[in-house]
């Protein structure tokens, strides 16, 4: 199932998690050190914020969808810099300026994490989410797609490089110390994805 998800989402690796909440905690709590910085959108989902709280990194909030505010916060950043946004914000229904964020990350050597929870299954021609729909998959360090909304089942997947997956398997405590998804849910995820036009 992970291989199928990776192929569908045009990325080298996929790591299945029990829920979007667990995926967000696993990813954000383990990626950065106390010498690094995380910059995040003010409208970021509560589960992502909890992942940030578990991180040892410095965390600074920038104004919602405001690249100027992001640039201002970036001036205080130290070490590696991670920018965390959602592609489609659940409360207001607006989209992140993904192209501008990708350009900013490229210009400043930042990593970008995009939560696609509310875009999965409904955005893009095949329900693939906004990152792929905009041709930006190669610009994003990690994406989180959840299955409890439009996909209609349970679980989530973290998409990224093979190196990222190997790192999370070894160091992301919310993933390591949680029971894996049962086979029946894996089949439900597969069945739901096969209802997307592409599969």
């Amino acid at each position: 199932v992970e291989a199928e998800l990776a192929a569908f989402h045009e990325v080298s690796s996929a790591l299945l998690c029990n829920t979007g909440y667990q995926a967000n905690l696993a990813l954000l709590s383990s990626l950065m050190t106390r010498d690094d910085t995380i910059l995040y959108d003010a409208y970021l989902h509560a589960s992502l914020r909890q992942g940030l709280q578990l991180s040892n990194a410095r965390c600074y909030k920038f104004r919602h969808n405001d690249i100027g505010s992001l640039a201002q916060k970036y001036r205080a950043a130290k070490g590696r810099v991670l920018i965390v946004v959602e592609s489609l914000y659940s409360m207001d229904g607006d989209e992140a300026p993904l192209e501008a964020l990708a350009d900013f990350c490229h210009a400043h050597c930042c990593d970008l994490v995009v939560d696609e929870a509310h875009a999965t299954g409904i955005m893009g021609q095949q329900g693939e989410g906004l990152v792929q729909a905009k041709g930006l998959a190669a610009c994003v360090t990690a994406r989180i797609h959840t299955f409890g909304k439009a996909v209609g089942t349970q679980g989530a997947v973290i998409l990224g490089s093979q190196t990222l997956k190997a790192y999370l398997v070894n160091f992301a405590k919310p993933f390591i110390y949680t029971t894996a998804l049962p086979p029946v849910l894996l089949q439900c995820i597969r069945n739901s994805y096969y209802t997307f036009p592409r599969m």
Side-chain angles (χ1 to χ4, degrees):
V1 176
E2 288 180 336
E4 291 176 3
L5 290 169
F8 179 85
H9 288 293
E10 300 175 344
V11 70
S12 60
S13 286
L15 180 65
L16 281 164
C17 298
N18 277 340
T19 63
Y21 180 75
Q22 184 208 17
N24 289 338
L25 293 187
L27 181 66
L28 295 179
S29 67
S30 62
L31 269 187
M32 309 296 275
T33 73
R34 62 175 47 88
D35 298 320
D36 300 324
T37 304
I38 300 175
L39 306 176
Y40 66 96
D41 189 282
Y43 284 12
L44 206 63
H45 191 270
S47 62
L48 291 159
R49 287 176 182 246
Q50 289 209 318
L52 298 179
Q53 289 174 358
L54 293 174
S55 170
N56 289 320
R58 305 171 187 85
C59 297
Y60 302 111
K61 175 174 61 178
F62 60 89
R63 288 192 299 272
H64 178 55
N65 282 350
D66 189 329
I67 300 298
S69 176
L70 170 62
Q72 183 181 22
K73 298 295 182 179
Y74 176 79
R75 296 189 194 108
K78 296 180 180 178
R80 289 177 51 228
V81 178
L82 181 70
I83 298 172
V84 185
V85 301
E86 297 179 47
S87 62
L88 178 66
Y89 288 89
S90 59
M91 298 304 292
D92 287 28
D94 56 347
E95 299 177 10
L98 292 176
E99 295 96 335
L101 287 162
D103 289 344
F104 184 93
C105 288
H106 178 74
H108 296 87
C109 297
C110 302
D111 290 305
L112 180 61
V113 168
V114 180
D115 184 346
E116 294 256 44
H118 302 100
T120 307
I122 60 169
M123 303 300 288
Q125 291 186 344
Q126 291 115 12
E128 69 273 21
L130 281 172
V131 170
Q132 279 174 265
K134 294 178 179 292
L136 298 172
C139 305
V140 177
T141 303
R143 285 176 276 160
I144 304 106
H145 288 266
T146 63
F147 309 138
K149 297 177 176 65
V151 179
T153 182
Q154 180 183 325
V157 66
I158 301 171
L159 304 173
S161 67
Q162 293 179 359
T163 301
L164 174 65
K165 180 177 179 177
Y167 179 85
L168 293 174
V169 166
N170 285 281
F171 294 103
K173 291 180 181 179
F175 173 81
I176 295 168
Y177 299 113
T178 303
T179 303
L181 284 166
V184 64
L185 284 177
L186 297 177
Q187 189 59 52
C188 287
I189 294 165
R190 172 181 279 142
N191 290 347
S192 293
Y193 263 74
Y194 272 103
T195 66
F196 294 176
R198 178 176 171 178
M199 296 185 81

